[in-house]
Every structure is written in C-alpha cells, then in structure tokens.
Amino acid sequence: MQGGVEQPAQMQMVLRVKHPSSLGGGEEEEGEGSSMSALSVFKAKEEQIERRKMEVREKVFAHLGRVEEESKRLAFIRQELEGMADPTRKEVEAIRKRIDTVNRQLKPLGKNCVKKEKEYKEILEAYNEKNKEKALLVNRLVELVSESERMRMKKLEELNKTVDALY
C-alpha cells in the first residue's frame, strides 16, 4: 500500500520535471502545465483507487473463500457430532417411551393392587373372626362331649351298680 501512495507523488514529480512549464517558462505554459499536472495527478489517483479496489476485492474474495471452507468444515463436524449422538438419542427416546407405557400400565395395576389389598384385609379380618368363632364352637363342643361322656360314664356306673346289686 505504501508503494501505491508513493507512485503518484513520483509521477507528479516526473511530470513537472518533464513539462517545460515547470522549468519556469511563460505564464500561458504555466497554466497549461498546471492543468496537465492536475490531470495526470487525477489519473494517477484514479489508478491508485482502482488498484486498491482490486486489492480489497481480492482480499474479500480470499476471506470469503476461507469462510466458506470453514463453514463447510463446521457443517461436517456438526453432522459427525449429530451422527455420534443420534444412535444414543434414538435408544434413549425408545426407552423413555417404554417407561411411559409401563408407567401408564402401572397406574391401574397399582389402584387394583390397593383395592385388592383392602379386600384382602377385609376378608382376612372376616376369616379371623370366623376362625375365632369356630374355635369357640369347638371348645364348646369339646366341653359338651366331655360333659356328655362324664354323664354317660356316671350313668354306666349307676347301671353297673344296679346290675351288680341284682346279682
């Protein structure tokens, strides 16, 4: 860039030296020379601007090329990462769906289990009550049978005494 700035100044010096008006000629030549000098300076500056435009354009296109290359690289990396995470994600989603399904099936089963446990407790309580009643009845039966046997033994002994007294 510095070379571009120095070139118009050098061209201007060359034009002034070559032009006879710069050597101290007449006034007419001086006016004509200064307009020629201004024209050449303008042309040199236009050329410099064009060169700078081209340099900037080349730099921008080079930068765009690097950016495109980097974005392609990033897209490839992103795709690779998604590919690596994808199988795990699918498996996780499938397991979560299965868990949700099993959970939905568990809710009514849990309610049914609570209901059955309540029924079981009620039935167990009724069973225990009947068992106690049975035990009481069995005890009463044993008492009655024992009393009956005792009474029968007493009657047998009385009969035996009566029979012995007859003989």
Side-chain angles (χ1 to χ4, degrees):
M1 285 192 174
Q2 234 181 0
V5 173
E6 290 176 7
Q7 272 185 342
Q10 286 177 349
M11 288 178 75
Q12 189 178 12
M13 292 291 284
V14 169
L15 288 173
R16 284 188 182 166
V17 171
K18 284 185 181 177
H19 201 280
S21 65
S22 63
L23 295 174
E27 284 181 17
E28 286 178 17
E29 289 177 0
E30 232 177 84
E32 208 175 286
S34 65
S35 66
M36 287 283 276
S37 171
L39 183 61
S40 3
V41 167
F42 178 74
K43 285 183 181 178
K45 285 189 178 188
E46 283 292 320
E47 287 175 9
Q48 180 185 7
I49 289 171
E50 281 300 316
R51 276 193 303 270
R52 280 193 175 173
K53 258 206 258 184
M54 293 303 284
E55 287 175 7
V56 168
R57 183 176 289 147
E58 287 174 9
K59 284 181 182 178
V60 166
F61 282 125
H63 188 66
L64 280 175
R66 285 192 301 267
V67 167
E68 285 179 16
E69 188 177 309
E70 290 298 319
S71 70
K72 285 179 185 176
R73 237 185 266 156
L74 285 173
F76 176 74
I77 290 170
R78 183 182 303 124
Q79 187 177 12
E80 288 293 315
L81 286 173
E82 287 175 1
M84 288 172 55
D86 196 34
T88 307
R89 187 176 344 137
K90 286 181 181 177
E91 189 175 338
V92 166
E93 286 177 19
I95 291 173
R96 283 185 178 158
K97 285 180 183 178
R98 295 270 324 251
I99 288 171
D100 289 342
T101 303
V102 170
N103 197 24
R104 274 186 252 120
Q105 293 171 348
L106 275 176
K107 285 181 181 180
L109 290 174
K111 289 178 182 178
N112 196 14
C113 185
V114 168
K115 180 181 172 185
K116 296 288 182 182
E117 283 177 348
K118 189 176 181 179
E119 287 178 17
Y120 171 76
K121 287 178 183 177
E122 290 172 359
I123 292 171
L124 183 63
E125 190 177 307
Y127 173 78
N128 287 335
E129 285 179 24
K130 292 294 179 185
N131 219 5
K132 285 178 187 177
E133 187 180 341
K134 176 186 166 189
L136 290 173
L137 291 173
V138 166
N139 284 338
R140 180 69 181 141
L141 179 65
V142 168
E143 286 175 13
L144 289 174
V145 168
S146 298
E147 192 177 320
S148 172
E149 281 181 18
R150 202 179 40 174
M151 290 173 86
R152 282 180 26 203
M153 286 299 279
K154 194 176 187 183
K155 281 216 179 213
L156 275 176
E157 283 178 18
E158 286 177 13
L159 280 175
N160 199 11
K161 285 183 187 177
T162 312
V163 172
D164 282 339
L166 288 175
Y167 295 110

